Amino acid sequence: MKQLGDFFFKYRNWLFPVFYALMFLPGARIFGDLHTAVAVGLLVTLIGQTVRMTTIGFDYIIRGGRHKKVYAEDLVTGGLFAHSRNPMYVGNVTMILGMGLLSNSLWYLLIMVPAFYFIYECIIRAEEYFLSHKFGEGFERYKRDVPRWIPRLSGLGDTLRSGSFNWRRVLIKEYNTTCVWLGAAVLLIGTHIYREEGAAAFERIALAFGVAVGAVIALYFGIRYLKKSGTIRA
Protein backbone atom coordinates (compact mmCIF):
# COMPACT_ATOMS: atom_id res chain seq x y z
CA MET A 1 0.00 0.00 0.00
CA LYS A 2 2.96 2.29 0.57
CA GLN A 3 3.83 2.28 -3.15
CA LEU A 4 0.22 3.01 -4.07
CA GLY A 5 0.21 5.77 -1.48
CA ASP A 6 3.27 7.39 -3.07
CA PHE A 7 1.52 7.28 -6.45
CA PHE A 8 -1.76 8.72 -5.16
CA PHE A 9 0.09 11.39 -3.16
CA LYS A 10 1.84 12.55 -6.31
CA TYR A 11 -1.47 13.10 -8.09
CA ARG A 12 -3.63 13.92 -5.05
CA ASN A 13 -4.55 17.41 -6.32
CA TRP A 14 -6.65 15.74 -9.02
CA LEU A 15 -8.68 13.68 -6.57
CA PHE A 16 -11.41 16.18 -5.73
CA PRO A 17 -11.98 17.47 -9.31
CA VAL A 18 -12.22 13.90 -10.68
CA PHE A 19 -14.47 12.63 -7.90
CA TYR A 20 -16.69 15.72 -8.13
CA ALA A 21 -17.04 15.32 -11.91
CA LEU A 22 -18.15 11.69 -11.53
CA MET A 23 -21.01 12.81 -9.25
CA PHE A 24 -22.88 14.11 -12.27
CA LEU A 25 -23.21 10.68 -13.87
CA PRO A 26 -26.78 9.38 -13.52
CA GLY A 27 -27.48 6.35 -11.34
CA ALA A 28 -30.04 4.65 -9.13
CA ARG A 29 -31.33 6.96 -6.43
CA ILE A 30 -30.45 6.84 -2.75
CA PHE A 31 -33.35 9.02 -1.65
CA GLY A 32 -36.80 9.22 -3.11
CA ASP A 33 -36.96 13.00 -3.25
CA LEU A 34 -34.57 15.84 -3.99
CA HIS A 35 -35.16 17.74 -0.75
CA THR A 36 -33.94 14.86 1.39
CA ALA A 37 -30.84 14.37 -0.76
CA VAL A 38 -30.00 18.07 -0.53
CA ALA A 39 -30.62 18.33 3.22
CA VAL A 40 -28.71 15.20 4.20
CA GLY A 41 -25.92 15.73 1.67
CA LEU A 42 -25.28 19.34 2.67
CA LEU A 43 -25.37 18.49 6.38
CA VAL A 44 -22.74 15.76 6.05
CA THR A 45 -20.60 17.92 3.75
CA LEU A 46 -20.73 20.80 6.24
CA ILE A 47 -19.60 18.45 9.01
CA GLY A 48 -16.58 17.49 6.92
CA GLN A 49 -15.88 21.13 6.10
CA THR A 50 -16.08 22.02 9.78
CA VAL A 51 -13.55 19.33 10.64
CA ARG A 52 -11.14 20.70 8.02
CA MET A 53 -11.58 24.30 9.14
CA THR A 54 -11.15 23.41 12.80
CA THR A 55 -7.99 21.45 12.00
CA ILE A 56 -6.49 24.32 10.02
CA GLY A 57 -7.57 26.97 12.51
CA PHE A 58 -6.02 25.42 15.60
CA ASP A 59 -2.84 23.63 14.55
CA TYR A 60 -2.18 23.42 10.86
CA ILE A 61 0.17 20.77 9.54
CA ILE A 62 2.10 21.25 6.32
CA ARG A 63 2.17 17.99 4.43
CA GLY A 64 2.18 19.39 0.94
CA GLY A 65 5.17 17.28 0.11
CA ARG A 66 8.37 18.17 -1.66
CA HIS A 67 8.93 17.45 -5.34
CA LYS A 68 5.57 15.62 -5.35
CA LYS A 69 6.77 13.24 -2.64
CA VAL A 70 5.71 12.84 0.98
CA TYR A 71 7.57 15.27 3.22
CA ALA A 72 7.10 17.00 6.59
CA GLU A 73 9.31 19.37 8.55
CA ASP A 74 7.79 18.74 11.97
CA LEU A 75 5.67 16.17 13.79
CA VAL A 76 2.50 18.08 14.65
CA THR A 77 0.52 16.59 17.52
CA GLY A 78 -1.52 19.56 18.79
CA GLY A 79 -5.03 20.77 18.02
CA LEU A 80 -7.21 18.13 16.37
CA PHE A 81 -4.06 16.12 15.68
CA ALA A 82 -4.15 15.23 19.37
CA HIS A 83 -7.42 13.39 18.72
CA SER A 84 -6.90 11.93 15.22
CA ARG A 85 -3.67 11.44 13.31
CA ASN A 86 -5.40 12.52 10.08
CA PRO A 87 -8.22 14.97 10.84
CA MET A 88 -7.87 16.67 7.45
CA TYR A 89 -8.40 13.34 5.72
CA VAL A 90 -11.36 12.61 8.01
CA GLY A 91 -12.81 15.90 6.77
CA ASN A 92 -12.04 15.01 3.14
CA VAL A 93 -13.74 11.61 3.28
CA THR A 94 -16.73 13.05 5.15
CA MET A 95 -17.11 15.77 2.52
CA ILE A 96 -17.01 13.27 -0.35
CA LEU A 97 -19.59 11.16 1.48
CA GLY A 98 -21.80 14.22 1.88
CA MET A 99 -21.44 15.24 -1.75
CA GLY A 100 -22.11 11.64 -2.78
CA LEU A 101 -25.36 11.76 -0.81
CA LEU A 102 -26.17 15.07 -2.46
CA SER A 103 -25.58 13.49 -5.86
CA ASN A 104 -28.29 10.97 -4.87
CA SER A 105 -26.43 8.26 -6.79
CA LEU A 106 -26.33 4.79 -5.28
CA TRP A 107 -23.44 3.63 -7.48
CA TYR A 108 -21.39 6.63 -6.38
CA LEU A 109 -22.10 5.92 -2.71
CA LEU A 110 -21.22 2.22 -3.00
CA ILE A 111 -18.21 2.47 -5.32
CA MET A 112 -16.66 5.93 -5.43
CA VAL A 113 -16.86 6.82 -1.73
CA PRO A 114 -15.10 3.58 -0.66
CA ALA A 115 -12.56 4.15 -3.48
CA PHE A 116 -11.87 7.64 -2.14
CA TYR A 117 -11.36 6.23 1.36
CA PHE A 118 -9.01 3.54 0.00
CA ILE A 119 -6.91 6.15 -1.82
CA TYR A 120 -6.45 8.14 1.38
CA GLU A 121 -5.71 5.01 3.36
CA CYS A 122 -2.86 4.34 0.93
CA ILE A 123 -1.62 7.93 1.22
CA ILE A 124 -1.66 7.64 5.01
CA ARG A 125 0.45 4.48 4.86
CA ALA A 126 3.03 6.29 2.70
CA GLU A 127 3.05 9.27 5.08
CA GLU A 128 3.38 7.06 8.14
CA TYR A 129 6.32 5.26 6.55
CA PHE A 130 8.06 8.60 6.06
CA LEU A 131 7.18 9.94 9.51
CA SER A 132 8.27 6.73 11.23
CA HIS A 133 11.69 6.90 9.59
CA LYS A 134 12.15 10.63 10.21
CA PHE A 135 10.80 10.97 13.76
CA GLY A 136 11.38 7.45 15.06
CA GLU A 137 10.13 6.70 18.56
CA GLY A 138 8.38 10.06 18.81
CA PHE A 139 6.06 9.10 15.98
CA GLU A 140 5.65 5.55 17.29
CA ARG A 141 4.43 6.93 20.65
CA TYR A 142 2.08 9.24 18.78
CA LYS A 143 0.73 6.27 16.80
CA ARG A 144 0.06 4.34 20.00
CA ASP A 145 -1.70 7.24 21.68
CA VAL A 146 -3.82 8.68 18.85
CA PRO A 147 -6.17 6.80 16.46
CA ARG A 148 -5.48 6.92 12.73
CA TRP A 149 -9.01 7.86 11.63
CA ILE A 150 -11.92 8.10 14.06
CA PRO A 151 -11.24 11.05 16.38
CA ARG A 152 -10.90 10.40 20.09
CA LEU A 153 -13.49 12.70 21.67
CA SER A 154 -12.16 12.67 25.22
CA GLY A 155 -10.54 16.00 26.00
CA LEU A 156 -11.74 17.59 22.76
CA GLY A 157 -13.52 20.40 24.59
CA ASP A 158 -10.37 21.27 26.51
CA THR A 159 -8.36 21.27 23.27
CA LEU A 160 -10.77 23.70 21.60
CA ARG A 161 -11.01 25.96 24.64
CA SER A 162 -7.27 26.13 25.26
CA GLY A 163 -6.22 26.70 21.66
CA SER A 164 -6.06 29.88 19.61
CA PHE A 165 -8.16 29.80 16.43
CA ASN A 166 -6.50 31.46 13.43
CA TRP A 167 -9.41 32.42 11.19
CA ARG A 168 -7.12 34.22 8.74
CA ARG A 169 -5.24 30.98 8.10
CA VAL A 170 -8.55 29.19 7.58
CA LEU A 171 -9.65 31.81 5.07
CA ILE A 172 -6.41 31.67 3.11
CA LYS A 173 -5.90 27.90 3.19
CA GLU A 174 -9.49 26.75 2.79
CA TYR A 175 -11.22 29.13 0.37
CA ASN A 176 -10.37 26.99 -2.66
CA THR A 177 -11.81 23.76 -1.22
CA THR A 178 -14.88 25.60 0.07
CA CYS A 179 -15.64 27.28 -3.24
CA VAL A 180 -15.11 24.06 -5.21
CA TRP A 181 -17.63 22.05 -3.20
CA LEU A 182 -20.09 24.95 -3.02
CA GLY A 183 -19.91 25.31 -6.80
CA ALA A 184 -20.32 21.56 -7.27
CA ALA A 185 -23.30 21.56 -4.89
CA VAL A 186 -25.04 24.35 -6.81
CA LEU A 187 -24.44 22.58 -10.13
CA LEU A 188 -25.65 19.25 -8.72
CA ILE A 189 -28.86 20.77 -7.42
CA GLY A 190 -29.47 22.46 -10.78
CA THR A 191 -28.79 19.18 -12.57
CA HIS A 192 -31.23 17.33 -10.31
CA ILE A 193 -33.98 19.85 -10.99
CA TYR A 194 -33.42 19.71 -14.74
CA ARG A 195 -33.34 15.89 -14.88
CA GLU A 196 -36.21 15.22 -12.51
CA GLU A 197 -38.58 18.13 -13.13
CA GLY A 198 -37.70 19.19 -16.66
CA ALA A 199 -36.51 22.30 -18.48
CA ALA A 200 -39.56 24.34 -17.47
CA ALA A 201 -38.84 23.80 -13.78
CA PHE A 202 -35.20 24.74 -14.29
CA GLU A 203 -36.20 27.94 -16.08
CA ARG A 204 -38.18 28.97 -12.99
CA ILE A 205 -35.07 28.79 -10.83
CA ALA A 206 -32.62 29.97 -13.50
CA LEU A 207 -32.18 33.42 -11.92
CA ALA A 208 -31.51 32.00 -8.45
CA PHE A 209 -29.18 29.41 -9.99
CA GLY A 210 -27.23 32.11 -11.81
CA VAL A 211 -26.98 34.25 -8.68
CA ALA A 212 -25.70 31.27 -6.66
CA VAL A 213 -23.05 30.44 -9.27
CA GLY A 214 -22.03 34.10 -9.45
CA ALA A 215 -21.79 34.33 -5.65
CA VAL A 216 -19.44 31.33 -5.48
CA ILE A 217 -17.25 32.78 -8.24
CA ALA A 218 -17.20 36.19 -6.54
CA LEU A 219 -16.31 34.58 -3.21
CA TYR A 220 -13.43 32.67 -4.77
CA PHE A 221 -11.87 35.60 -6.61
CA GLY A 222 -12.57 37.99 -3.74
CA ILE A 223 -10.67 35.93 -1.20
CA ARG A 224 -7.98 35.11 -3.76
CA TYR A 225 -7.44 38.85 -4.31
CA LEU A 226 -7.22 39.52 -0.56
CA LYS A 227 -4.66 36.72 -0.26
CA LYS A 228 -2.52 37.73 -3.25
CA SER A 229 -2.59 41.42 -2.33
CA GLY A 230 -1.47 40.66 1.21
CA THR A 231 -4.58 42.25 2.73
CA ILE A 232 -5.14 39.04 4.70
CA ARG A 233 -2.16 37.15 6.05
CA ALA A 234 -2.06 33.99 8.14
Side-chain angles (χ1 to χ4, degrees):
M1 289 184 73
K2 189 264 182 187
Q3 288 77 14
L4 275 175
D6 288 332
F7 173 81
F8 289 135
F9 185 89
K10 183 177 181 179
Y11 298 104
R12 68 197 181 284
N13 290 336
W14 290 96
L15 287 180
F16 275 105
V18 170
F19 274 77
Y20 280 158
L22 291 174
M23 291 175 186
F24 291 88
L25 296 178
R29 294 182 181 181
I30 304 169
F31 305 103
D33 65 280
L34 175 60
H35 295 92
T36 303
V38 171
V40 176
L42 288 180
L43 175 61
V44 175
T45 305
L46 285 170
I47 291 172
Q49 178 69 91
T50 301
V51 172
R52 283 181 55 93
M53 286 183 167
T54 305
T55 303
I56 295 170
F58 280 101
D59 205 342
Y60 183 61
I61 184 170
I62 300 175
R63 285 190 188 171
R66 178 176 289 181
H67 307 304
K68 296 186 178 181
K69 295 182 179 180
V70 175
Y71 184 82
E73 287 287 348
D74 303 301
L75 180 62
V76 178
T77 60
L80 288 195
F81 289 95
H83 301 271
S84 167
R85 301 205 301 270
N86 301 281
M88 288 289 285
Y89 296 165
V90 172
N92 289 351
V93 173
T94 304
M95 288 178 69
I96 283 295
L97 172 61
M99 292 297 291
L101 293 169
L102 178 58
S103 76
N104 205 19
S105 171
L106 185 61
W107 83 268
Y108 192 94
L109 183 67
L110 296 180
I111 297 175
M112 299 311 298
V113 173
F116 192 83
Y117 167 81
F118 173 76
I119 288 172
Y120 269 103
E121 180 68 23
C122 292
I123 291 175
I124 288 172
R125 299 299 179 94
E127 290 181 338
E128 290 185 347
Y129 180 87
F130 172 88
L131 295 172
S132 179
H133 281 72
K134 181 166 183 175
F135 300 107
E137 181 57 29
F139 180 68
E140 295 305 317
R141 286 196 302 270
Y142 178 57
K143 280 178 63 177
R144 291 193 293 268
D145 294 340
V146 180
R148 174 181 287 160
W149 280 102
I150 305 301
R152 183 183 59 205
L153 298 181
S154 60
L156 179 59
D158 293 335
T159 297
L160 299 180
R161 285 190 294 270
S162 63
S164 177
F165 189 82
N166 188 335
W167 67 266
R168 291 180 179 85
R169 183 167 62 209
V170 173
L171 203 61
I172 291 172
K173 298 293 184 181
E174 195 62 5
Y175 78 96
N176 187 60
T177 297
T178 302
C179 290
V180 168
W181 81 256
L182 281 174
V186 171
L187 294 176
L188 271 174
I189 293 171
T191 301
H192 284 321
I193 293 173
Y194 183 85
R195 285 176 177 170
E196 297 179 17
E197 301 180 21
F202 183 80
E203 288 176 3
R204 290 194 293 270
I205 59 97
L207 178 60
F209 178 80
V211 169
V213 171
V216 173
I217 294 174
L219 179 65
Y220 174 82
F221 283 104
I223 299 177
R224 180 179 174 83
Y225 170 77
L226 294 175
K227 174 184 175 181
K228 297 295 184 180
S229 66
T231 304
I232 296 180
R233 299 179 184 273

